[in-house]
Each structure stands twice: as C-alpha cells, then as structure tokens.
Amino acid sequence: MPLPGEEMISKRIKFSEAERSRVLRALQRIVGSERATANPAIRYGYSGTSMVLPKAMPDFVVRPRNVADIQKVLLLARKRRIPVTPVASGTQEPSTYPWFGGIVLDTLALNRILEINVGGAYAVVEIGVSIGQLAKALQKENLRLAMGSFPPGISVLGNYLMTAANSHRSSGIMDDVLGLEVVLADGTVFQTGSKAFGHTYPALGWHYPSNTFPNVKNLFLDAGGTLGVVTKGAVRVYQMNEAQTLPVSAFESYAQALEYMKRLSRANLVQHICAWHWPLYTIIDHLGRYGRGAPAEILLYDPWTKPDERPYILVVPSMSGYREVIAAGEQAAKRITEELGGRIYTEECREKWPGAWKFFADHYRDHQPTNQFMGGFGEGFPLMPMVIADPNRVAGLEQWGLRFLRKSPLRLALSYYSHSLDQCRSVFLRMTTFVSPESSPKEIERAAATRQKYLEQAFRRYGAIPVRYDYGHPPGAVLNKTGGQAQVLKAIKRALDPENILNPGMSLSMYGRF
Ligand SMILES: Cc1cc2nc3c(=O)[nH]c(=O)nc-3n(C[C@H](O)[C@H](O)[C@H](O)COP(=O)(O)OP(=O)(O)OC[C@H]3O[C@@H](n4cnc5c(N)ncnc54)[C@H](O)[C@@H]3O)c2cc1C
C-alpha cells in the first residue's frame, strides 16, 4: 500500500527550465527578488521534513509582505494554473504539504499586532503573529489568550483556523476567532462578522463573529487553505483574573476522570479541564526535567502496567476568577474528586513530577506558551488518531482503543490525553501510536493502516468523529461519509476556486473529486 501522498506526488506539476525561470521572475517582480526563491535548500524546509510521510518539495517559496502581494501572487497563479499552498508557521500536519508542487505562500512575514482592544476583549492580528508574541503583548494589559500545548513560535491564526483543542474549550467557547480577512483565488478581499460592515462603515469593530447572514467565517476554519488565504483576524482575549489555580486530581480509571471532568465543567467551575494518562505525564515530566526524548522504560511498558504507585490518570483543571470564588471552587473540586474515588494530588504532583507540574502550570495557570510538550512524540505525531467523541461512549473507546492499539503491529507503547469540550457535551481523545525515527517504512505503513482502522471503529461504535484532516484515507473518503454536506462543500470549492489552485493537494485529500 503506498503511503498517503505518494500517488499525488507522482502527479505533480512539471515546469520546463524556461517556464520555471519565467514564473520566478514574475513572482520576484511582485514581492521583490529576496522574497521569492527556487533555491532547493529553502524549498526543502517546506517539504514536510519533520514528518514520517513522503516529502514533497514546492517549486517556489514566496514570502509576501502584505495583502496586495498576496492578491497579485494569486492572480498570477490563477492565470498560469500553478498550485498555491498557504503556510503560516508551517508546523505542517501532513496535508499542508505541496503535494503537486507549485508555490508555497509563506505568510509568516505578515506579523503585526494591529490592535489590542482591552474594552472589547479582543486582539486583531496578522496571520504571522505568533502565540509567544501575542501572549507577551497581552501580558502588559493583564490579558491572555487561549492556547494549546504548542511552542511559542506557532501562529495564533494558524492554530485558530483549525479545530483547536485549547485552553478555554471546556467552558463552551469552541473557537476563538471573532472575524477574518480573506483573499480569494480571484483576488477579492473581504472581512467577516461585524467587521464586514466596515466596508460601508469603516469605524465598525470586530466584536461580533456573525452579522445576521450565514456565517461565512466558519467556512475558513478547518479549510486547510483550500478556499482562500487568510491575512488577518480578530481573536478573543481573556482577562488575567485575580486568582488562577489548578488543583490536580488523581484517578485510577478514565471513566472516573471523565465523570469528574463532566461535573466540574457543567457546574461552570473550570475554563478548561484535561486528563493525562500516566505514560504521557511521565514523558512530559521527563522532557521537562531532562530535555528531549521519552524514557525507554515507558516506551516498553503495557499501557495498564504502571511501573510503581503513580496514578493511572491525572486530571488538571484550569480555574480563574475572584479569590473567594476560586477558594470555594477548589473545595468543591476536592469533594467531587473524593466522591468519585479519587484524591487531590496537587502537592505530590509538584514534588514527584516537577517537569509535568511545570508544563501544567505554564499552560493552565500562567497561560504562557510552553516548549516542552510533544517533543517526545517526535515522528509519531502525524499518526496519532485524534477524535471528538460522544461523552456517553468515550470511556468504551478508551478501553477498546488501548486494547486494539496494544495488539497492533506497532513496536512501541502508547498513551493518551483527553479534553472536555463544551461542558463535556463532547470529548477530545488523542491516543498516540508511537513510531520513531528508527521505525522502518513497513512499520510506518502499518502504523498508518492501524490509525485508519482505529478511526473507522471510533466512528462506527463509539460515536467519534475525526479532528482536522483526513490524511491517510483515500481522497474525499471522509467527507463523502457526510452525504449532502459533501455536495455543498464541493460546490463552494468549485465556486470559490474554479481552477483549483488553492492547496490542491489538501483539496484532493479533503474533497476528493469535485
Ligand atoms: C509541539 C506541538 C504541540 C501541539 N499542541 C496542540 C494543542 O495542544 N492544541 C492544538 O489545537 N494544536 C496543537 N498542535 C497543532 C498545532 O496547533 C498546529 O500544528 C498548528 O496550529 C498549525 O498552525 P501552523 O501555523 O503551523 O499551520 P500551517 O502548517 O502553516 O498550516 C496549517 C493549514 O492551514 C493552511 N494555512 C496556513 N496559512 C494559511 C493562510 N494564511 N490562509 C489560509 N490557510 C492557511 C495550510 O495550507 C494548512 O493546510 C501542536 C503542534 C505541535 C508542533
């Protein structure tokens, strides 16, 4: 079985040397000679070099300075039918790859924070503004932003444009984008939400994500750069309240942890709450204390056979508010933990797992980006099945998933973490099937097949849907399971990008034939 992407790469666009030079010169006329290149050393950096899936080099890398540059590049690409793959921070979950070659449009140089609207609790940022950059600027205003466990260099909008499992999801806020500015394949620029009326009333702000018409903004979330190029957006920011805390609870089963997450989030006691399986918090601890890599003993153990008295699962809530309210919330958390058969583990966590504690505190209490999580996942990253599951069935998925993945031909151990979303109306579960840089192509292939089987069962038996891209499946296979919705999205893609220049690799993978 070919690895996902291999077939597509064989169909990539082919330029003659003369055409290549002509296109390069045209691109350089638009953005300046230092901002458009065909240098293979630079192109290689955009080929998915850190991932286990096949590499695909673009023909050109272009770094626009502003919206006008983007419009002109798209018009040129449209005229010559050259694929354009937009990239923000380019952490490249697999389908970002320029499977068909063409232009990678690196938007990271659009990196200005345009506004911090303290009264309106939002910030307006260009696509290249990073999480670290915005977090630092917000700190001065006693504000913070929702973030995941990713490093500070990741683009705020690059992340928020995807289904993001971030630090405010348990409260019910499912995305942090209030509005976007988008350039379409034909060069049209528009803004969404309340700001759309800025076209007629320029003083209008970005405060409301909709505007009495169908919500166009949402079309560009999870679109993977297939419908338009996002240049800026307004994002929610949050107050740094007078008290922030994270009482850690320890449980001996996922079912208990899940019930705890449900009770706390439905009583509005937490902004966010997440459960960490023991091999994973052990790895995070190791990374925090010693740098990269996962301890070998963890990779070799059964997911159920803990090496000592460490808890099976830690649940870490993020609480923030007035002092009196938070003190009462901590009391309630303790009582509920004990009612469910768990124990408060905050002090022990700090003492026994200082590396993990630091990660939890950076992330859930201080709301600062962290560098330490995920390093240990290395090349296993693209093979991790992420799902959003039905809370009534997700505990079954955890049990079945561990058994299934343990029996799979993968050599290495596995772990998971699980976020409560929208007051636990749904539950994010990400189980990790480890492969390593030393894994053979055969093992990687098996890992990809295992991932596919897992997702199919998750759909079928546990009410779970996949998160983000459907890489690793035949083109369009996942979207086609949605029936009528697939027809609607394909029609929208045809209407907005009739020449299919916008991320055609991702488009094929996502929409199939359209
Ligand atoms: C160590 C690590 C930890 C992580 N932890 C979390 C976590 O806790 N929570 C979470 O939600 N995620 C997490 N992630 C995933 C991470 O959020 C994504 O990798 C990242 O947000 C993608 O953003 P990017 O800017 O790198 O996107 P890119 O790789 O640049 O692009 C992603 C997709 O968006 C498209 N795109 C890029 N720029 C534009 C544009 N200007 N207009 C239109 N489309 C565009 C691309 O074509 C591509 O399809 C983690 C990733 C890493 C590496």
Side-chain angles (χ1 to χ4, degrees):
M1 187 184 83
L3 284 174
E6 265 173 5
E7 270 171 78
M8 300 192 210
I9 291 170
S10 69
K11 293 183 189 139
R12 59 177 290 141
I13 185 169
K14 294 199 176 56
F15 290 99
S16 69
E17 274 318 304
E19 277 168 332
R20 187 182 298 276
S21 307
R22 262 200 306 278
V23 173
L24 181 61
R25 278 199 304 276
L27 289 168
Q28 287 177 332
R29 275 197 296 278
I30 296 171
V31 294
S33 56
E34 73 292 359
R35 293 186 160 271
T37 182
N39 180 338
I42 294 174
R43 291 188 287 129
Y44 185 71
Y46 295 84
S47 66
T49 45
S50 68
M51 297 297 186
V52 290
L53 295 176
K55 316 298 176 208
M57 292 262 272
D59 296 281
F60 311 98
V61 172
V62 179
R63 294 181 177 138
R65 298 156 298 186
N66 49 41
V67 177
D69 282 356
I70 293 175
Q71 286 176 292
K72 288 180 197 156
V73 170
L74 289 178
L75 288 175
L76 173 83
R78 198 174 192 215
K79 195 163 145 209
R80 297 182 184 242
R81 309 228 165 174
I82 303 172
V84 178
T85 304
V87 164
S89 33
T91 48
Q92 296 180 337
E93 297 207 20
S95 298
T96 310
Y97 297 174
W99 300 114
F100 294 108
I103 298 167
V104 157
L105 191 70
D106 178 339
T107 52
L108 212 58
L110 279 72
N111 63 0
R112 290 174 305 159
I113 298 174
L114 300 171
E115 181 185 357
I116 294 181
N117 191 319
V118 178
Y122 66 80
V124 185
V125 293
E126 290 187 319
I127 179 81
V129 169
S130 71
I131 299 273
Q133 186 187 348
L134 185 58
K136 216 165 162 187
L138 291 174
Q139 234 174 2
K140 294 182 197 138
E141 306 290 348
N142 208 30
L143 294 169
R144 60 195 162 86
L145 73 161
M147 62 182 77
S149 46
F150 32 69
I154 282 187
S155 151
V156 174
L157 285 171
N159 178 246
Y160 290 4
L161 288 179
M162 308 201 291
T163 301
N166 283 345
S167 51
H168 275 77
R169 298 291 175 261
S170 309
S171 65
I173 297 171
M174 292 303 286
D175 85 71
D176 280 291
V177 180
L178 289 175
L180 293 174
E181 179 178 89
V182 182
V183 186
L184 298 178
D186 68 359
T188 304
V189 184
F190 69 97
Q191 296 169 338
T192 67
S194 52
K195 190 65 183 169
F197 286 112
H199 177 74
T200 306
Y201 309 103
L204 252 158
W206 293 87
H207 53 276
Y208 195 61
S210 191
N211 58 25
T212 81
F213 298 103
N215 194 334
V216 176
K217 176 205 86 180
N218 287 358
L219 266 184
F220 296 89
L221 304 186
D222 278 324
T226 63
L227 298 179
V229 178
V230 172
T231 53
K232 68 165 82 103
V235 299
R236 290 188 166 87
V237 299
Y238 302 87
Q239 199 166 293
M240 209 59 180
N241 290 310
E242 65 181 34
Q244 333 282 331
T245 188
L246 66 159
V248 178
S249 297
F251 294 98
E252 291 309 314
S253 78
Y254 177 70
Q256 287 171 314
L258 178 68
E259 183 59 27
Y260 180 64
M261 295 202 291
K262 203 184 283 175
R263 291 204 195 168
L264 256 57
S265 53
R266 290 193 181 165
N268 283 328
L269 284 176
V270 293
Q271 310 169 126
H272 195 76
I273 186 162
C274 186
W276 301 85
H277 184 218
W278 70 267
L280 188 49
Y281 72 73
T282 308
I283 292 172
I284 296 172
D285 182 68
H286 189 88
L287 287 168
R289 286 204 253 180
Y290 310 113
R292 290 185 72 83
E297 105 247 18
I298 295 307
L299 293 176
L300 297 175
Y301 273 99
D302 246 9
W304 294 280
T305 315
K306 295 177 290 169
D308 50 30
E309 294 310 305
R310 72 193 72 189
Y312 178 77
I313 197 159
L314 296 183
V315 184
V316 185
S318 170
M319 295 175 160
S320 167
Y322 290 109
R323 273 193 310 275
E324 299 84 344
V325 177
I326 294 305
E330 283 196 281
Q331 283 304 312
K334 180 170 184 298
R335 176 169 64 78
I336 297 161
T337 298
E338 288 166 359
E339 276 173 18
L340 291 170
R343 63 196 163 103
I344 287 291
Y345 192 71
T346 316
E347 286 315 311
E348 271 177 272
C349 179
R350 199 196 303 256
E351 208 176 285
K352 292 188 178 155
W353 311 102
W357 169 262
K358 180 171 182 324
F359 165 71
F360 295 146
D362 283 350
H363 190 50
Y364 292 106
R365 187 193 60 194
D366 303 337
H367 304 280
Q368 290 303 315
T370 172
N371 254 329
Q372 82 189 62
F373 179 50
M374 291 283 203
F377 285 167
E379 299 206 348
F381 189 54
L383 299 169
M384 294 161 68
M386 289 192 281
V387 297
I388 291 183
D390 172 348
N392 299 311
R393 288 190 269 171
V394 68
L397 177 59
E398 184 251 10
Q399 287 290 297
W400 170 81
L402 287 178
R403 279 198 307 276
F404 171 75
L405 294 173
R406 192 68 197 142
K407 274 192 292 183
S408 77
L410 303 173
R411 250 184 329 135
L412 302 177
L414 61 127
S415 66
Y416 65 85
Y417 61 106
S418 180
H419 299 273
S420 147
L421 306 179
D422 188 14
Q423 296 190 321
C424 236
R425 287 183 184 83
S426 56
V427 180
F428 173 102
L429 179 66
R430 184 178 212 174
M431 285 196 166
T432 314
T433 49
F434 279 99
V435 290
S436 79
E438 291 78 38
S439 298
S440 67
K442 211 80 240 114
E443 282 170 313
I444 293 169
E445 206 178 288
R446 282 196 205 127
T450 301
R451 178 182 185 282
Q452 256 190 51
K453 278 192 206 145
Y454 172 95
L455 286 178
E456 186 55 31
Q457 284 303 311
F459 261 131
R460 209 174 277 282
R461 291 174 52 196
Y462 299 103
I465 57 164
V467 178
R468 298 181 181 163
Y469 312 133
D470 53 341
Y471 56 86
H473 296 268
V478 178
L479 180 62
N480 286 338
K481 291 176 199 270
T482 65
Q485 184 193 291
Q487 299 315 313
V488 172
L489 283 181
K490 288 176 197 196
I492 290 171
K493 169 70 181 170
R494 281 196 300 272
L496 294 186
D497 183 21
E499 281 81 19
N500 187 24
I501 58 160
L502 284 170
N503 207 347
M506 177 65 180
S507 299
L508 180 67
S509 164
M510 186 187 278
Y511 307 104
R513 290 168 70 85
F514 56 89

